[in-house]
């Protein structure tokens, strides 16, 4: 991940700032304390991961604002991405993630901030904890990796190397193992079931043959009975056909009856409609008279409507003329008002200019005074230019003397505090006594720890004995259950011997049963003895565990005592060093007291200060006189401004008077009646009078118009009857034709109804003759049709049952053939599942904590150790050398996985935890830089950015030079390296510098190359 640009808005101390990283490779961020240097890096981590050194998200919002926003653009794995994160005091936040394409930015935002954050981390292959433990050395947190416990260090290193994927693979293998075990158990049970089912195949085949013979016999009997039944059914079929003929004729008879009735009804309706049309034709004269009256009233209404439209047009023209007159009068009023306003403004300006001209003599006197004061100020400025370098040197030397005095006073105060602290904290005899007491307690606790280990070994021995007893108990229970199953088999009649599989007689069966019962009793006694031993052993283990717990509680303070012993020994050594330091500080403090009392410091600076004061006396320059002269010039400066205004007023006055005369003439001209506007207005008034005369001459009567419309509405029904009268004659002719047709149809329907009645009578006579034949059955018939149908149905049920059984047996036989194939497939699947179980078991071990991840860490540690030692040697002039230890012996001589850091120096080898101060920071920096470089070279996390926040404060000048050299040495492995420092001597050691200033509007950035 390489940052390209970051934009901060109301984030921490920034109101708005934009920083472009594209032109920065190795840069230094500098500025005063609290200016906002670290906020840049915190904005980067907060935008990408949503986390920063600030605990609550609302605290990143700048005070006085309600919302903070950070926008960062970065490059990762050859693609350019953009993240926009916002947070408001209302508790709401937003997160957007985009990728740059040929068509612009395309959104990658997921549903919800958590899903989007997970997608960003998956793309970066880096989470926040890994980043701050490798590539980001935060202020006061440079030891983030080294101060963790050895186990946590190893876990964190595994996360950096992307080894968590092996945990997922191991878990997947264990899931597959469990699934394989389930499959094995399933296939084993299925294999046994198939064997049991295949044993019944022979009995099913014999049942199938017997059912086939029975089916053939019943089928022959069924055929004979069906032939006899067909003869009986043929006679019944003739009678049924006769019944159907009669039924058809009856239906036809009813249909003809309905048609005849319908035709009669239609004929009567047409006759009634013909009568109504004749009555309407008889009223023709009255209808024609009403229609003529309607036409006369309609003509009068149309004439009144034309008069109404003409009057409306005259009213519209009158309204338009009124609008034109009002517009002309308004324009004339505006022109008069504009000219009058201009005239008033010019008259006011002329009066002001005349007042200024009358004040000309006073302005001329003030201008003379201003020029004299300005001449004096010019002379004093020349003298000031000569005295300024001397005054600057005087101020510089005075500040140097003050700084030296302040430095000595601060050093004096610091030494006094340090001497008092050392005098109060020096208690050498008490520390030695405390060391002896702690050593005595540690001796006793060590004895208890040895005894606890013996108790633990004893407890483990008893647990192993319990496991042996439990295994033996399970074996005896299996033997007992096997004997029990054999006894149950022997009790069943016809069972053979379970050993030789031969038949048993009754006396031999009793002997075998008695022998097996005796063996079962012996096994039961053994089980009882084992249960007693288990109970006793469990009680012993419980007592041992209680004793072990008590010892562990007593030994819980052992580690703390070791720490206390280490601190006391370190404090004892520190006391010796403090005694020597106390003597040196006391001598230095006495020397400072003498120097301050006699003021013997900065003698050369004091001599230069005296010489400069002498030169200033010769120049005869006084700051007070210079300031008074400058104020006098400012007091009379108005005269120069008024003089320029006076000249301009004299020039304007002539022009203003001429303009006033012109405007007065225009106003008089607008008031005259001969202007085009006034003439046009007169013409419009004449047209208005003409329109009013036309409106008066219009004789439109609105009441008469409404009366005519009402009469026309009342005569409307006559117009409708007249229109209907035009079609009455045609409809009357059509009605006569329809009546003739209906009369013809009525005669045809009556004739068809009579013919159908004769056919129905003949069919009824034929049906009566067939019924007479049915009542006299044949002499040779010995069984009825119902009895035959019953026998055939019963035999059909028997055949269906046999066919069902045949189908079931046939399906069972087919299933046996399929079962044989399934049996073979199950056996093969069982073997394959066992092979998979073995494969996944080996893979789970390989992907587990003691497999491939251990090999990767073991292979990465030498590279990390070599890189860290190379940097550490450069930082310490080959004085320190570190070593990573991954295994050590525990308290029970058991090998424990760890990641200890051992440091070798000229005095020997000791753990990292015993170092502090500048040496500890150099070790931390070397390890962290080596981690960053290692991860940058690997394909997993692809770290290309290194951030260092305030890491030089604990180092001397040589240590700082070494740290800068180490950064430059690894610069080629990173695309961007940012270092924060407030030490001025380090600013020029970097090719680029980002200067941070704190203003009242927020922090501001400035990039310097």
């Amino acid at each position: 991940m390489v940052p390209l640009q970051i934009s901060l808005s109301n984030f921490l101390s920034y109101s708005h700032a934009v920083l472009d990283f594209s032109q920065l490779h190795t840069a230094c961020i500098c500025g005063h304390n609290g200016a906002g240097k670290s906020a840049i890096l915190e904005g980067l981590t907060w935008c990408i991961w949503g986390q920063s050194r600030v605990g609550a998200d609302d605290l990143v919002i700048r005070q006085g604002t309600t919302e903070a926003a950070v926008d960062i653009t970065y490059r990762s794995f050859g693609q350019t991405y953009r993240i926009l994160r916002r947070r408001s005091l209302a508790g709401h936040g937003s997160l957007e993630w985009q990728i740059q394409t040929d068509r612009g930015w395309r959104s990658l935002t997921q549903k919800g901030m958590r899903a989007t954050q997970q997608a960003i981390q998956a793309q970066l292959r880096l989470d926040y904890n890994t980043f701050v433990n490798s590539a980001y050395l935060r202020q006061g947190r440079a030891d983030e990796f080294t101060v963790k416990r050895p186990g946590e260090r190893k876990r964190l290193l595994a996360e950096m190397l992307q080894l968590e994927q092996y945990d997922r693979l191991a878990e997947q293998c264990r899931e597959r193992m469990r699934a394989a075990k389930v499959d094995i158990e399933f296939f084993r049970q299925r294999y046994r079931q198939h064997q049991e089912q295949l044993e019944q195949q022979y009995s099913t085949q014999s049942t199938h043959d017997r059912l086939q013979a029975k089916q053939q016999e019943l089928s022959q009997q069924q055929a004979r009975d069906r032939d006899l039944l067909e003869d009986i059914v043929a006679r019944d079929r003739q009678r049924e056909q006769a019944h159907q003929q009669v039924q058809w004729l009856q239906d036809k008879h009813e249909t003809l009856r309905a048609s005849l009735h319908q035709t009669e009804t239609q004929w009567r309706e047409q006759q009634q409609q013909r009568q109504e049309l004749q009555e309407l034709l008889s009223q023709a004269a009255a209808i024609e008279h009403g229609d003529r009256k309607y036409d006369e009233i309609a003509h009068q209404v149309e004439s009144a409507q034309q008069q109404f439209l003409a009057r409306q047009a005259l009213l519209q023209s009158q309204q338009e003329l009124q609008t034109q007159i009002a517009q002309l009068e308004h324009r004339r009023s505006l022109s008069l008002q504009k000219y009058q306003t201009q005239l008033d403004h010019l008259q006011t300006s002329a009066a002001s200019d005349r007042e200024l001209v009358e004040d000309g003599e006073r302005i001329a006197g003030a201008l003379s005074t201003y020029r004299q004061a300005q001449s004096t100020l010019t002379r004093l400025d020349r003298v000031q230019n000569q005295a300024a370098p001397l005054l600057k040197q005087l101020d510089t030397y005075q500040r140097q003397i003050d700084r030296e005095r302040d430095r000595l006073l601060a050093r004096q105060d610091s030494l006094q505090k340090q001497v008092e602290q050392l005098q109060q904290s020096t208690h050498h005899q008490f520390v030695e006594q405390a060391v002896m007491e702690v050593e005595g307690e540690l001796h006793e606790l060590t004895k208890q720890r040895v005894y606890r280990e013996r108790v633990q070994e004893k407890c483990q021995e008893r647990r192993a004995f319990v496991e042996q007893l439990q295994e033996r108990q399970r074996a005896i229970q299996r033997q007992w259950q096997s004997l029990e199953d054999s006894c149950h088999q022997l009790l069943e009649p016809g069972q053979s011997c379970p050993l030789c599989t031969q038949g048993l007689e009754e006396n031999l069966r009793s002997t075998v049963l008695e022998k097996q019962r005796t063996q079962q009793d012996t096994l039961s006694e053994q089980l009882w003895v084992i249960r007693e031993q288990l109970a006793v052993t469990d009680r012993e283990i419980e007592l041992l565990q209680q004793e072990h717990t008590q010892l562990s509680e007593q030994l819980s303070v052992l580690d703390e005592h070791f720490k206390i012993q280490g601190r006391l020994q370190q404090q004892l050594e520190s006391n010796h060093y403090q005694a020597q330091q106390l003597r040196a500080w006391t001598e230095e403090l006495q020397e400072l007291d003498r120097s301050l009392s006699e003021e013997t410091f900065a003698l050369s600076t004091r001599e230069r200060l005296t010489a400069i004061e002498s030169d200033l006396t010769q120049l005869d320059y006084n700051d007070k006189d210079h300031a008074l002269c400058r104020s006098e010039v400012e007091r009379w400066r108005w005269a120069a401004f008024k003089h320029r205004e006076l000249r301009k007023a004299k020039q304007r006055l002539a022009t203003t008077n001429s303009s006033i005369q012109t405007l007065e003439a225009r106003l008089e001209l607008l008031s005259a009646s001969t202007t085009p506007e006034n003439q046009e207005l007169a013409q419009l008034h004449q047209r208005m009078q003409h329109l009013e005369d036309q409106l008066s001459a219009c004789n439109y009567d609105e009441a008469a118009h409404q009366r005519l419309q009402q009469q026309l509405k009342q005569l409307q029904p006559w117009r409708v009857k007249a229109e209907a009268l035009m079609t009455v004659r045609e409809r009357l002719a059509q009605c006569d034709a329809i009546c003739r047709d209906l009369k013809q149809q009525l005669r045809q329907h009556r004739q068809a109804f009579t013919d159908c009645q004769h056919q129905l009578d003949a069919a009824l006579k034929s049906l009566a003759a067939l019924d007479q034949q049915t009542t006299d059955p044949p002499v040779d018939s010995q069984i009825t049709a119902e009895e035959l149908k019953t026998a055939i149905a019963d035999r059909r049920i028997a055949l269906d049952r046999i066919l069902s059984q045949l189908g079931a047996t046939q399906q069972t036989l087919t299933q046996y053939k399929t079962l044989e194939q399934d049996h073979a497939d199950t056996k093969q699947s069982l073997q394959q599942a066992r092979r998979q179980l073995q494969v996944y078991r080996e893979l789970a071990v390989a992907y587990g904590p003691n497999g491939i991840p251990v090999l990767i860490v073991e292979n990465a540690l030498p590279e990390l150790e070599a890189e860290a030692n190379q940097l550490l040697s450069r930082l310490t002039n080959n004085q320190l050398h570190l070593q990573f230890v991954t295994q050590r012996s525990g308290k029970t001589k058991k090998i424990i996985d760890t990641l200890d850091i051992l440091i070798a120096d000229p005095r020997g080898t000791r753990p990292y935890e015993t170092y502090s101060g500048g040496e500890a920071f150099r070790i931390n920096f070397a390890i962290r830089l080596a981690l960053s470089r290692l991860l940058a070279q690997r394909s997993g996390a692809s770290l290309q950015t290194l951030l260092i926040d305030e890491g030089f404060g604990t180092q001397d000048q040589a240590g700082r030079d070494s740290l800068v050299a180490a950064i430059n040495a690894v610069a080629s492995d990173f695309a961007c390296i940012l270092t924060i420092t407030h030490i001025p001597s380090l600013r020029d050691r970097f090719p680029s510098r980002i200067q941070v200033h704190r203003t009242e509007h927020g922090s501001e950035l400035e990039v310097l190359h």
Side-chain angles (χ1 to χ4, degrees), residues 9-60:
S9 178
N10 296 329
F11 182 80
L12 293 179
S13 61
Y14 289 90
S15 175
H16 179 73
V18 178
L19 179 58
D20 188 2
F21 296 97
S22 59
Q23 303 299 325
L24 301 177
H25 180 215
T26 304
C28 169
I29 305 176
C30 54
H32 297 292
N33 289 333
K37 302 185 296 296
S38 301
I40 300 174
L41 306 185
E42 294 299 328
L44 188 146
T45 59
W46 182 77
C47 182
I48 296 178
W49 289 283
Q51 300 185 47
S52 64
R53 66 184 179 188
V54 181
D57 289 341
D58 292 344
L59 298 180
V60 303

Side-chain angles (χ1 to χ4, degrees), residues 411 413-428 431 571-589:
R411 180 62 179 170
D413 184 54
S414 176
L415 288 174
Q416 286 178 352
K417 292 181 180 179
Q418 291 176 356
V419 168
E420 291 175 359
Q421 291 177 359
L422 286 178
Q423 289 176 350
Q424 293 175 2
S425 62
T426 303
H427 44 282
H428 183 69
V431 173
Q571 189 174 1
L572 190 61
E573 294 176 359
S574 178
N575 284 341
H576 292 295
Y577 173 75
Q578 289 174 358
Q580 297 175 1
Q581 191 72 26
L582 182 61
R583 288 192 295 272
W585 285 346
T586 303
E587 294 176 359
E588 185 180 357
L589 185 60

Side-chain angles (χ1 to χ4, degrees), residues 58 275 526:
D58 292 344
Q275 185 178 359
Q526 293 178 4

Side-chain angles (χ1 to χ4, degrees), residues 64 329 387 512 583 598 685 760 903 914:
E329 291 179 348
V512 173
R583 288 192 295 272
E598 297 177 2
H685 280 294
L760 180 61
I903 310 299
T914 60

Side-chain angles (χ1 to χ4, degrees), residues 542-574:
E542 184 179 357
L543 294 174
L544 290 172
Q545 286 179 344
Q546 292 177 359
E547 187 174 5
H548 185 272
T549 303
Q550 294 175 359
L551 291 172
S552 297
E553 293 176 355
Q554 295 175 2
L555 290 172
S556 61
V557 298
L558 181 60
D559 293 338
E560 186 65 26
H561 278 63
F562 276 120
K563 293 179 182 179
I564 293 173
Q565 183 187 24
R567 287 197 296 267
L568 290 174
Q569 289 178 351
Q570 186 176 3
Q571 189 174 1
L572 190 61
E573 294 176 359
S574 178

Side-chain angles (χ1 to χ4, degrees), residues 802-847:
I802 292 174
L803 288 173
S804 176
Q805 294 175 359
L806 277 173
T809 54
Q810 183 64 39
Q811 184 178 4
T812 304
L813 291 174
T814 305
Q815 290 177 355
Y816 281 132
K817 293 180 180 179
T818 306
L819 189 63
E820 290 177 354
Q821 182 63 34
D822 291 344
H823 187 57
D825 294 342
T826 302
K827 184 177 181 181
Q828 184 177 358
S829 299
L830 179 60
Q831 295 174 354
Q832 184 177 359
R834 287 171 176 170
R835 288 195 298 270
Q836 288 182 353
L837 177 63
Q838 183 64 24
V839 170
Y840 287 125
R841 182 181 289 113
E842 295 176 358
L843 287 176
V845 175
Y847 292 144

Side-chain angles (χ1 to χ4, degrees), residues 324-342:
Q324 293 179 6
I325 292 170
Q327 290 177 353
L328 284 175
E329 291 179 348
H330 179 67
R331 285 201 299 269
R332 182 172 177 274
S333 175
L334 288 178
S335 299
L336 289 172
Q337 184 178 2
K338 181 181 70 173
Y339 290 141
Q340 186 65 40
T341 302
Q342 293 178 358

Side-chain angles (χ1 to χ4, degrees), residues 517-664:
R517 294 297 185 188
T518 304
Q519 292 178 2
Q520 280 186 317
D521 294 338
T522 305
L523 292 175
S524 299
E525 293 177 359
Q526 293 178 4
L527 286 173
W528 181 82
V529 172
I530 290 173
R531 291 192 185 98
E532 289 293 326
Q533 291 177 346
L534 285 172
V536 173
T537 307
D538 289 339
R539 180 57 180 167
E540 291 178 357
I541 292 173
E542 184 179 357
L543 294 174
L544 290 172
Q545 286 179 344
Q546 292 177 359
E547 187 174 5
H548 185 272
T549 303
Q550 294 175 359
L551 291 172
S552 297
E553 293 176 355
Q554 295 175 2
L555 290 172
S556 61
V557 298
L558 181 60
D559 293 338
E560 186 65 26
H561 278 63
F562 276 120
K563 293 179 182 179
I564 293 173
Q565 183 187 24
R567 287 197 296 267
L568 290 174
Q569 289 178 351
Q570 186 176 3
Q571 189 174 1
L572 190 61
E573 294 176 359
S574 178
N575 284 341
H576 292 295
Y577 173 75
Q578 289 174 358
Q580 297 175 1
Q581 191 72 26
L582 182 61
R583 288 192 295 272
W585 285 346
T586 303
E587 294 176 359
E588 185 180 357
L589 185 60
Q590 293 174 358
E591 182 65 23
L592 285 175
D593 292 338
R594 183 184 61 77
S595 178
L596 286 171
S597 61
E598 297 177 2
E599 294 189 355
T600 58
F601 59 90
L603 292 177
S604 60
T605 305
R606 292 177 184 275
E607 292 174 358
R608 295 174 184 172
L609 186 63
T610 303
I612 291 172
E613 290 176 349
S614 177
D615 294 339
L616 287 173
T617 304
Q618 293 178 3
L619 286 175
D620 192 18
Y621 172 77
N622 191 348
D623 289 339
K624 295 181 179 179
D625 294 339
H626 194 183
L628 289 173
C629 184
R630 190 180 292 109
S631 63
E632 187 71 12
V633 170
E634 293 296 329
R635 187 164 68 88
W636 292 102
R637 190 180 297 277
W638 65 270
F641 172 74
K642 287 292 184 181
H643 181 69
R644 290 192 296 271
E645 290 293 326
L646 180 61
R647 290 200 304 270
K648 295 179 181 179
K650 290 179 179 179
Q651 296 174 359
R652 285 197 305 267
L653 196 58
T655 306
T656 303
N657 291 330
S658 176
S659 300
I660 288 174
Q661 294 176 1
T662 303
L663 287 174
E664 288 176 348

